[in-house]
Every structure is written in C-alpha cells, then in structure tokens.
Amino acid sequence: MRGLKNKIVVITGGLGDLGYAAAQRMIEEECKVVLLDVAADEENRAEKIGAVYFRVDISKEEEVSTIAQQIKQQMGAAHVLVNTAARFIFKSVDATTEDWDNILAVNIRGTSLITKHIVEQMKENGGGSIINFSSVSGFVGQSNFATYNATKFAIRGLTKCWAQDLAPFNIRVNTICPGYIYTRAFVNSCEKLGLDLEEENKRASAMHLLNRQGRPEEVASAVAFLASDDSSFITGSDLLVDGGYLAK
Ligand SMILES: NC(=O)c1ccc[n+]([C@@H]2O[C@H](COP(=O)([O-])OP(=O)(O)OC[C@H]3O[C@@H](n4cnc5c(N)ncnc54)[C@H](O)[C@@H]3O)[C@@H](O)[C@H]2O)c1
C-alpha cells in the first residue's frame, strides 16, 4: 500500500484479535505501531511483533490524555488511529443502567476520547486517517443484541459526523464493518455457552455468501487500505468486510 512507510499507527484494543492482526499487517507495511489496551500484555505480544504497548482504559479521559502525550514524546505525532476496542454486552430491553453505562463508556465515549486526543497530533502532521470499527451489527437488527448493535450503529454515525468536521484538516474518517470473523471471542463464547464449535462455525458460515467466517488478516487488509494513500479520496464511508452477509 502506498504512503504507509514510517507512519505512526495507534490501535486501540490492540491485544484483541482484530486489533493485533491489524498491528501485524501495519508492521509488515513498515509502520511504527502502538497498541493500546486495558488488558495487560502478559505474553509480551507487542514486543514479539516489534510494536509498542501502553495499558490504558480508553473510557477514562485522564488516562487517555496522558497516554497520548507519551505516544507523542516516544514515537512522534500519530498519523493513523484504528479504533477496535469494544465491550461486548448482548442484552435486549432487559438491559440495566449498568449494562448501558458499561457499553457506552467504552464503545462510544472511549472511542471519542482517544480520537479527540490523537486528532490533535494528526493536525500537527497536516492530516491523517481514522478507522472506526462497526460491524454488520451496525446495519441490521439481531435478536438479543440491542445494546451492542446500538453502539455499532452509533459508530457509523460518529464516522460520518467526524468526516465532515475533520475534512478541512485533511483527516479522513471511515468505518470497517466486518461480518463474523473466526476469532478467540467466537471460540470462547461457544465454550462458555456449551455449544459445539464445528456446528456453530457451520451455522455462522452459512450467514455469509462466501459460506465461511472471515479471517482476522482479511480485516487487517482493509485497515491497511483505509490507512494508506490508496484510499486518498475515501472518507465518511462504510467498508463492508462481510463475505456478503449484508448482500442477502
Ligand atoms: N470478531 C468479530 O467477529 C467482529 C465482527 C464484527 C465487528 N467486530 C468489531 O471488531 C472490533 C474488535 O473485535 P475483536 O474480535 O478483536 O474483539 P476482542 O475482544 O478480541 O478485542 C477487543 C479489545 O478491546 C480491549 N478493550 C476493551 N475495553 C477497553 C478499554 N476500556 N480500553 C482499552 N481497551 C479495551 C479488550 O481488552 C480487547 O483486547 C470490535 O469493535 C468489534 O465490535 C468484531
């Protein structure tokens, strides 16, 4: 991809499956990558791929502001922000005040807070690219998914508003909307619910025209594209990486 070499890339939820796959791809593209995550990097996963890791809870502005300053001091002003961090709370009308506070604090407030602080660095660089993570769940209703889907619809709204506000600063903002990606989260949730992994994989695969779940590296390719100069006239858009899930 064009224009990625030496770019400073910040990835929230960087220890998660999709964030980490994006980090690996951006390192291959010769970027300098910072992983942000609320989870501890116990296995030194950042170091293994040559990335830098900071522990931060993106829902807390004091922490976010401090980390943004540290990134600038240690690495330089950021060019790319990939917002993958999210909480997964699946409730319907039974959602409690606590459920709403927890999911909105990370998926919406947290995404906004880190963007607010990193955008200042992009302005210093004369431009940048922000990539927000929604989902097919940001387009359609799914049973008992109301809390999660509401945040994934909202992410697409944030993208479109920010694209307007930040265009004068040469900062592009886009959304990636994955279908079902075969990740640890999928395997863990099958185990937790006592479901047969192979059966569930078949069921999830059948929801996609390509009759399979996606792979994290296929989402990472879309991240690299939207971060690069190859997408220089794309802003405010939703990029479906969904194997045809929404085409049905
Ligand atoms: N995996 C899929 O099939 C799929 C499909 C569609 C969309 N998505 C979206 O892709 C994104 C990444 O999903 P994933 O499968 O990699 O999930 P994941 O759970 O593997 O990764 C999410 C990461 O975010 C981190 N995080 C949570 N709260 C945080 C906070 N307050 N501050 C900082 N970090 C925090 C977690 O510790 C975790 O490492 C999410 O936005 C999700 O909605 C995933």
Side-chain angles (χ1 to χ4, degrees), residues 120-133:
E120 292 311 309
Q121 301 183 14
M122 291 180 178
K123 286 181 183 170
E124 289 171 31
N125 281 328
S129 172
I130 299 168
I131 300 159
N132 290 328
F133 267 65

Side-chain angles (χ1 to χ4, degrees), residues 4-11 22-23 25-35 49-52 71 74-81:
L4 285 179
K5 195 171 178 185
N6 291 326
K7 287 278 152 58
I8 295 162
V9 178
V10 177
I11 305 178
R25 174 62 191 262
M26 298 310 265
I27 298 258
E28 277 170 32
E29 299 282 354
E30 298 181 71
C31 295
K32 294 175 181 156
V33 177
V34 183
L35 306 186
I49 57 169
V52 172
I71 290 170
Q74 286 186 33
M75 319 268 301
H79 303 90
V80 176
L81 173 64

Side-chain angles (χ1 to χ4, degrees), residues 13 16-18 37-38 56-58 84 86 133-135 148 152 179 181:
D17 279 6
L18 300 191
D37 209 293
V38 73
V56 61
D57 180 345
I58 58 162
T84 82
F133 267 65
S134 176
S135 166
Y148 177 73
K152 294 291 142 181
I181 310 299

Side-chain angles (χ1 to χ4, degrees), residues 12-20 36-39 56-60 83-88 105-107 110 132-137 148 151-152 176-186 213 219:
T12 74
L15 295 179
D17 279 6
L18 300 191
Y20 196 71
L36 303 182
D37 209 293
V38 73
V56 61
D57 180 345
I58 58 162
S59 70
K60 299 194 173 132
N83 282 317
T84 82
R87 296 210 52 185
F88 300 84
V106 177
N107 298 18
N132 290 328
F133 267 65
S134 176
S135 166
V136 292
S137 303
Y148 177 73
T151 67
K152 294 291 142 181
I176 288 181
C177 307
Y180 284 55
I181 310 299
Y182 195 91
T183 54
R184 280 177 303 170
F186 177 77
Q213 294 196 66
V219 180

Side-chain angles (χ1 to χ4, degrees), residues 62-80:
E62 258 177 48
E63 287 187 28
V64 168
S65 154
T66 306
I67 291 299
Q69 281 166 30
Q70 281 183 22
I71 290 170
K72 197 175 149 188
Q73 274 161 15
Q74 286 186 33
M75 319 268 301
H79 303 90
V80 176

